[in-house]
Amino acid sequence: MNIQDPISNMLTNIRNGQLSKKKSVLIYYSKIKESILKILLNEGFIKNYVIKNNNKILVKLKYFLNNPVITKIKKISKPSLRIYKSYKNIPIIMSGLGICIISTSFGVLTDKEARRLKIGGEIICYVF
């Protein structure tokens, strides 16, 4: 099966795993997925992730009082429509409670880091 948008597929697997109250989900490995998962881990949206055999990632999902920590995860830039923003126009998600994940020339960053470094890029997704 050929996946057209692997990042969207990863976000959907995480969303569906949390809706079905799974402890973890398994996704295919890529460097950009690992970068996104590292941000989700640092921001406290997932428990942990483990790379298995360099071709799969086991993502351990996080819950608080039996409710998923991630209430919404939305893919913004798609293969058919890329969304780019300068650092001045990067949106603030839920008054700073959520994050915007951005692919920049400095790597994958959160909205706060991109504003601090004064660089823009492609908006990957919103998480809150």
Side-chain angles (χ1 to χ4, degrees):
M1 184 162 101
N2 191 7
I3 298 172
Q4 296 297 322
D5 190 1
I7 296 172
S8 180
N9 188 39
M10 175 187 76
L11 299 177
T12 301
N13 284 343
I14 291 172
R15 183 183 318 110
N16 289 344
Q18 287 200 316
L19 287 174
S20 62
K21 304 283 187 192
K22 289 188 175 184
K23 290 185 180 184
S24 61
V25 291
L26 198 61
I27 57 174
Y28 288 105
Y29 175 83
S30 74
K31 287 182 183 179
I32 191 160
K33 289 179 187 178
E34 183 181 3
S35 300
I36 293 169
L37 289 172
K38 185 182 277 187
I39 289 174
L40 292 176
L41 179 65
N42 291 340
E43 295 291 325
F45 287 106
I46 60 173
K47 271 188 187 175
N48 201 0
Y49 67 92
V50 179
I51 300 171
K52 298 194 165 229
N53 299 332
N54 209 19
N55 64 350
K56 296 227 179 182
I57 306 173
L58 182 70
V59 181
K60 296 180 182 176
L61 304 174
K62 190 172 185 179
Y63 298 93
F64 180 73
L65 298 176
N66 282 336
N67 293 322
V69 172
I70 299 174
T71 55
K72 190 162 189 174
I73 188 164
K74 183 178 181 187
K75 178 85 161 104
I76 302 302
S77 193
K78 299 173 176 67
S80 60
L81 180 64
R82 304 283 185 188
I83 306 296
Y84 296 94
K85 299 282 183 181
S86 69
Y87 77 94
K88 295 176 185 175
N89 297 328
I90 295 172
I92 298 172
I93 310 303
M94 288 190 64
S95 302
L97 295 176
I99 61 169
C100 178
I101 299 177
I102 303 164
S103 177
T104 68
S105 57
F106 287 81
V108 179
L109 304 173
T110 64
D111 54 342
K112 295 173 189 106
E113 292 170 332
R115 275 191 221 94
R116 183 178 55 82
L117 296 172
K118 295 187 177 182
I119 53 173
E122 180 184 354
I123 308 292
I124 297 174
C125 64
Y126 299 153
V127 183
F128 52 92

